[in-house]
Amino acid sequence: MSAGAFPEPVVVTAGSTDPRAPLVVLLHGRGADEHSILGLARALPPGPAYAAVRAPIAEGGGFAWFANRGIGRPVAESLRATMDWFRTWLDAVATDGRPVVLIGFSGGAAFAGGLILVDPERFTGAAVLYGTLPFDAGVPTGPGRLAGLPVFVAQGTEDTVVPRELLDRTWTYLDGESGALCTARRDAVGHDVGPAALEHLAEWLSERVALPAAD
């Protein structure tokens, strides 16, 4: 399936309306939609523009970022097509060096991971929340692939949704071999954004973004 086979992006926004403001893109989990994750913006710094994007594949009353071979295991061709679709939207709204940070939850975390692995220089940072990177799905995961890129990782020790082997592999890669500037935490929660992780995510994000200077 090509990127052109998907519908036009559906996006809801919060925060700054200044087109120069850093853009924080919120990527929801599988079977959810853009409204399910926009609420995170209320707990995050007020400076950026927040955009929650609806995934392009209808699934289970909600939407998904890619076809799966199993939980946390994207079909490579599907992931490539949806990433191309997303980049078409992103490049239209974030031009001229506008900083872009990705925050993905669960399936959205895997999607964010694919985007930064394919083009790490495009992004100012990324948060991988309660999800796995898209290993073995056609994106590069070699040593130093994310060198110098700020990445925030949050996982739940009681998470029984994403296979533990994939969570562990994600943690090990991002906190080591990838070369990312990794901030990682695990809390005694399940497959949900815990309050401690959300607080630390807000602190991490505040260090990544700032309001544009006044004219």
Side-chain angles (χ1 to χ4, degrees), residues 55-85:
I57 301 173
E59 180 175 297
F63 300 88
W65 294 105
F66 43 78
N68 253 358
R69 296 178 287 114
I71 294 175
R73 303 181 191 277
V75 174
E77 295 80 5
S78 177
L79 179 62
R80 168 56 66 181
T82 55
M83 288 194 299
D84 288 348
W85 169 88

Side-chain angles (χ1 to χ4, degrees), residues 124-210:
T124 305
V128 178
L129 307 179
Y130 307 89
T132 176
L133 294 178
F135 295 109
D136 309 313
V139 298
T141 55
R145 182 63 186 170
L146 302 178
L149 181 69
V151 177
F152 182 92
V153 183
Q155 296 183 355
T157 59
E158 310 305 315
D159 191 340
T160 59
V161 174
V162 179
R164 180 54 52 183
E165 64 176 296
L166 293 177
L167 292 173
D168 290 346
R169 186 177 178 187
T170 295
W171 182 282
T172 300
Y173 178 74
L174 289 177
D175 201 32
E177 184 182 2
S178 74
L181 299 177
C182 185
T183 301
R185 62 175 297 117
R186 284 179 170 140
D187 296 292
V189 298
H191 193 66
D192 196 13
V193 181
L198 186 56
E199 179 181 350
H200 283 86
L201 173 62
E203 294 173 358
W204 174 86
L205 184 60
S206 70
E207 297 171 358
R208 309 276 81 79
V209 297

